[in-house]
């Protein structure tokens, strides 16, 4: 009887201990109460995907450069000193979409316009001086896109100044772009009227004139777009055939590849001849005591300088009337006449006056606005179409 009681007691003890052991065994591995992995499993780490940086120089063959004066320097930077400079590129964006970051190096603040698939995506992108990485677009959708990045600001006038683009960073890859030269190529040379100075403003003495300069609102860019032409743009406000900035006149900076950069040490060496050259010169020279004969002589010399790069057969068109009533119209006409006129391929074209933009001072006449320029657009396009048709014949 005593032995039976001892056995019964042992059975009771085992019944109490076994569930505890089983529970302890379950908690040492496997799944917990809610099915989550226990601490004995190694945690997996997900490596964050990073966008790719594409150096512009390394991808030069995939870029369509804008403005024939926009070229790569000896150090591999894309020199975008002149207004209207920039590039077109085709990109394939990853499935996650992307932002677009541009790396730049500049000695002054600049403003830019970004087009994506032919539409304006950002109209006034500010990029400061120094070495900058600037997000120029956000949330670009997956798939193929064509981007066009254009400098709105005019050239910086410091002889130690520079403005360069370095790389693009995004999720995706660069595709082969259409880099072929267009059938038509026009060179535009001039002053603030051609650089789009004040084109986005509407007042005298504007305190924000730097943000109101727009190369894409100026006549050269509008004409090039309308005629599907490649272009060269050499233009700067407050400069003339005799009127200098930092001791450099318009003919002097014309002969420099980067304008004022490097003290004009890198000379212009074109590898393409324009179909026509369009000039707007003399406005700033009206503010000086330049004698009529000297004005005409400088005009002749400038045209001869330009033609020394391309030959005597390239037609030249002198525009007048759009910028100022004070422009020396008779003297402008005299330049063409002195050069031999239309028989020598030197033409003149009068435009509609307009001054609805901004000026940089209270005493200065306001510059034409975008709408003013649009009024003259068709006049210039029609004239050039007729001229080039005649010239080809």
């Amino acid at each position: 009887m005593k032995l039976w009681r001892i056995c019964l007691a042992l059975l009771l003890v085992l019944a109490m201990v076994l569930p505890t052991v089983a529970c302890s065994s379950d908690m040492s591995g496997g799944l917990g109460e809610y099915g989550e992995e226990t601490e004995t499993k190694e945690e997996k780490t997900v490596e964050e995907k990073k966008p790719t940086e594409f150096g512009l120089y390394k991808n030069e063959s995939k870029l369509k450069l804008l403005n024939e004066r926009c070229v790569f320097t000896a150090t591999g930077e894309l020199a975008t000193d002149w207004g209207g400079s920039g590039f077109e590129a085709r990109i394939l964006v990853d499935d996650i979409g992307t932002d677009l970051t541009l790396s730049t190096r500049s000695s002054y603040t600049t403003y830019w316009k970004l087009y994506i698939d032919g539409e304006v995506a950002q109209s006034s992108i500010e990029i400061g001086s120094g070495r900058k990485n600037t997000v120029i677009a956000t949330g670009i959708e997956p798939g193929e896109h064509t981007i066009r990045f254009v400098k709105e600001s005019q050239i910086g006038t410091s002889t130690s100044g520079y403005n360069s683009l370095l790389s693009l960073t995004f999720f995706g890859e660069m595709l082969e772009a259409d880099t072929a030269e267009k059938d038509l190529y026009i060179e535009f040379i001039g002053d603030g009227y051609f650089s789009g100075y004040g084109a986005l403003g509407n007042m005298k003495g504007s305190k924000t004139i730097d943000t109101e300069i727009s190369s894409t609102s100026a006549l050269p860019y509008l004409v090039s777009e309308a005629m599907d032409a490649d272009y060269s743009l050499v233009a700067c406000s407050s400069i003339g055939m005799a009127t200098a900035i930092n001791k450099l006149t318009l003919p002097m900076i014309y002969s420099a590849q980067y304008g004022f950069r490097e003290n004009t040490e890198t000379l212009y060496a074109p590898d393409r001849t324009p179909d026509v050259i369009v000039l707007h010169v003399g406005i700033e020279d009206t503010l000086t005591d330049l004698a009529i004969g000297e004005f005409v002589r400088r005009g002749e010399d400038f045209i001869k300088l330009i033609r020394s790069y391309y030959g005597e057969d390239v037609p030249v068109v002198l525009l007048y009337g759009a910028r100022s009533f004070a422009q020396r119209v008779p003297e402008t006409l005299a330049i063409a006449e002195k050069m031999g006129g239309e028989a020598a391929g030197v033409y003149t074209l009068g435009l509609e006056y307009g001054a609805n933009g901004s000026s940089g001072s209270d005493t200065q006449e306001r510059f034409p606005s975008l709408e003013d320029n649009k009024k003259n657009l068709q006049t210039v396009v029609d004239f050039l179409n007729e001229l080039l048709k005649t010239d080809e014949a």
Side-chain angles (χ1 to χ4, degrees):
M1 190 71 176
K2 184 177 180 181
L3 180 61
W4 181 84
R5 288 178 178 174
I6 292 171
C7 290
L8 181 62
L10 288 171
L11 289 172
L12 289 172
V13 170
L14 287 171
M16 295 174 65
V17 171
L18 284 175
T20 304
V21 172
C23 182
S24 175
S25 176
D26 284 343
M27 293 186 68
S28 66
L31 299 179
E33 183 179 359
Y34 297 103
E36 66 269 21
E37 293 186 5
T38 63
E39 295 178 359
T40 58
K41 298 285 185 180
E42 292 184 4
E43 294 184 1
K44 295 181 179 180
T45 58
V46 179
E47 191 172 314
E48 184 180 355
K49 186 177 180 182
K50 295 182 180 180
T52 304
E53 181 178 12
F54 297 91
L56 298 185
Y57 180 70
K58 290 182 179 179
N59 291 277
E60 179 181 3
S61 64
K62 298 179 180 179
L63 300 176
K64 168 74 173 180
L65 301 185
L66 307 175
N67 193 348
E68 290 290 317
R69 294 286 182 130
C70 176
V71 297
F72 284 96
T73 68
T75 57
E77 297 183 350
L78 183 58
T80 50
D81 298 79
W82 295 99
S85 295
F87 65 88
E88 277 187 0
R90 286 178 62 237
I91 62 174
L92 178 61
V93 176
D94 284 354
D95 291 340
I96 59 174
T98 192
D99 294 345
L100 195 61
T101 301
L102 184 76
S103 176
T104 59
R105 195 178 75 89
S106 181
S107 63
Y108 57 98
T109 297
T110 53
Y111 294 87
W112 300 77
K113 181 177 284 187
L114 174 69
Y115 299 81
I116 299 179
D117 299 328
E119 300 294 329
V120 177
Q122 298 286 343
S123 60
S124 186
I125 301 171
E126 179 180 340
I127 300 180
S129 61
R131 179 72 179 258
K132 299 291 182 183
N133 292 312
T134 305
V135 177
I136 61 174
T138 59
I140 301 178
E141 295 182 354
E144 292 186 16
H145 299 281
T146 298
I147 61 173
R148 171 182 274 224
F149 197 61
V150 190
K151 184 178 180 180
E152 293 279 59
S153 303
Q154 66 177 9
I155 189 169
T157 56
S158 168
T159 53
S160 60
Y162 54 87
N163 180 231
S164 298
L165 308 185
L166 308 177
S167 67
L168 274 176
T169 301
F170 61 94
F171 288 105
E173 61 181 286
M174 296 273 285
L175 301 176
E176 296 293 334
D178 182 7
T179 59
E181 295 178 347
K182 294 184 177 181
D183 292 337
L184 182 61
Y185 168 41
I186 308 173
E187 181 168 66
F188 298 90
I189 307 165
D191 45 33
Y193 177 52
F194 273 6
S195 73
Y197 193 81
L200 299 182
N202 59 7
M203 63 183 295
K204 280 191 174 186
S206 173
K207 305 298 183 188
T208 56
I209 191 70
D210 287 344
T211 66
E212 294 162 1
I213 302 171
S214 172
S215 66
T216 63
S217 301
L219 198 62
Y221 190 87
L222 297 175
V223 169
S224 300
E225 286 291 282
M227 299 184 71
D228 191 29
D230 287 331
Y231 62 87
S232 173
L233 178 60
V234 177
C236 181
S237 66
S238 303
I239 199 167
M241 296 182 295
T243 306
I245 298 176
N246 286 331
K247 299 181 180 179
L248 299 175
T249 62
L250 184 57
M252 293 168 71
I253 64 167
Y254 178 84
S255 295
Q257 178 67 54
Y258 311 125
F260 294 90
R261 186 197 286 221
E262 300 175 357
N263 270 328
T264 71
E265 290 173 3
T266 303
L267 298 179
Y268 177 48
D271 56 8
R272 189 177 180 187
T273 299
D275 295 284
V276 61
I277 297 164
V278 183
L279 288 173
H280 187 271
V281 295
I283 291 295
E284 301 302 331
D285 296 317
T286 63
L287 306 177
T288 68
D289 295 327
L290 198 65
I292 294 175
E294 180 65 9
F295 181 92
V296 174
R297 186 190 67 78
R298 285 179 179 267
E300 288 183 80
D301 289 346
F302 193 19
I303 293 174
K304 289 176 182 177
L305 170 66
I306 297 165
R307 280 182 159 176
S308 70
Y309 289 94
Y310 310 119
E312 298 296 316
D313 295 333
V314 180
V316 176
V317 180
L318 285 161
L319 301 183
Y320 64 90
R323 168 68 180 90
S324 172
F325 287 130
Q327 185 177 7
R328 294 180 169 183
V329 176
E331 291 94 317
T332 300
L333 299 175
I335 293 172
E337 183 179 357
K338 195 83 171 177
M339 292 292 298
E342 295 185 6
V346 181
Y347 302 81
T348 57
L349 178 63
L351 301 180
E352 183 178 336
Y353 172 74
N356 293 301
S358 284
S359 64
S361 70
D362 291 325
T363 58
Q364 187 181 37
E365 185 180 11
R366 286 164 58 183
F367 280 77
S369 66
L370 169 59
E371 293 306 314
D372 291 331
N373 293 331
K374 285 180 177 179
K375 291 177 182 178
N376 285 315
L377 173 59
Q378 199 58 49
T379 300
V380 176
V381 169
D382 290 344
F383 183 88
L384 293 181
N385 277 331
E386 186 64 28
L387 172 62
L388 294 173
K389 182 176 67 175
T390 303
D391 189 58
E392 289 173 0

